[in-house]
Amino acid sequence: MTSHLSPRTTTGSDLYRQLAVTMSMIVCVVGSMIGVGVFGGTPIAEAAGGALGSDATLLAPAGAAFSIWSVVYLGLVAYTVWQWLPAQKASPRQRAFGWLVAASMLLNAAWILSIQAGWLNASVLVILVLLAVLTVVFLRYSSRPAASWLEAAIVDGTLGLYLGWVSVAVCANIAAALSAAGFDGFGLSPELWAVGVLLVVALVGVGLAVKGNGRLAVAAAIGWGLTWIAVGRTGGQMESATTSITAAVVAAVIVLATIAIRVRSERRLEAVPRTA
């Protein structure tokens, strides 16, 4: 028997998805407040023995970099409100990644709590799963164009910043865990490891740009994180000109490559003949 439901027919699962996103957002915001010490928790930079402090490793961004979380959290709140709009309840886009966005916010809170508990190894596992979830979300929303500029800003923009920043944060998190565990780099210098990781970030950033046809939000967040790594290595206990220059160059490469891919993609769309 064939179903007569249209793609826009709402179902009970749509309501459950909306509720799940809303509850996850609340948990995420509360977790973030714990992470900055509002509810008595230790600020992330000071938790876990300072393993994630701005001078803990060569890949740790300067403290100002973390202000991007305020933008991401505001975006997630806006996204949560957006997905409650009548037109979004049965939206194919929301059905494609709404549950995953909810999962990402729960993982975000779990990461903060793991850091608060001093479980660095567990935090690495959590942030890797978070990165994987956000990557799937990226692939899904990239394959379904936003219906308006407002949707592009609230949904694509927020999720792009989220993915871009986590792409940088995962490097700092792994470096912190390895440092705390006494990893000696197999005899290679820390700067060589840092440069190697930054080159991997370059490949990932350009790859995301190609896959997403030049998603600017993703590149902006990655560029932001890398720029503050560059700034952080210009002084302090972990000063490193090599790491600083490499981070700055990689940031520029990713941003410029993304812009070039975006321009080329838009020109291709303009060249497509329009049918009546």
Side-chain angles (χ1 to χ4, degrees), residues 10-42:
T10 59
T11 65
S13 63
D14 290 319
L15 176 60
Y16 297 148
R17 184 194 68 245
Q18 291 172 305
L19 290 171
V21 168
T22 303
M23 295 304 296
S24 297
M25 182 272 294
I26 294 172
V27 172
C28 182
V29 171
V30 171
S32 72
M33 290 182 177
I34 293 175
V36 297
V38 173
F39 295 140
T42 305

Side-chain angles (χ1 to χ4, degrees), residues 151-249:
E151 180 179 0
I154 293 176
V155 180
D156 302 37
T158 295
L159 298 177
L161 289 176
Y162 197 2
L163 171 61
W165 172 248
V166 170
S167 297
V168 175
V170 71
C171 299
N173 198 167
I174 292 174
L178 290 174
S179 177
F183 179 63
D184 65 0
F186 300 117
L188 300 177
S189 72
E191 286 187 328
L192 185 59
W193 276 100
V195 169
V197 171
L198 290 171
L199 292 178
V200 172
V201 173
L203 292 176
V204 170
V206 173
L208 289 172
V210 172
K211 195 65 179 179
N213 291 317
R215 296 275 172 170
L216 300 178
V218 179
I222 294 178
W224 171 269
L226 292 175
T227 297
W228 283 107
I229 288 177
V231 171
R233 300 291 73 78
T234 59
Q237 298 177 7
M238 300 298 291
E239 181 177 355
S240 169
T242 300
T243 305
S244 180
I245 293 172
T246 303
V249 170

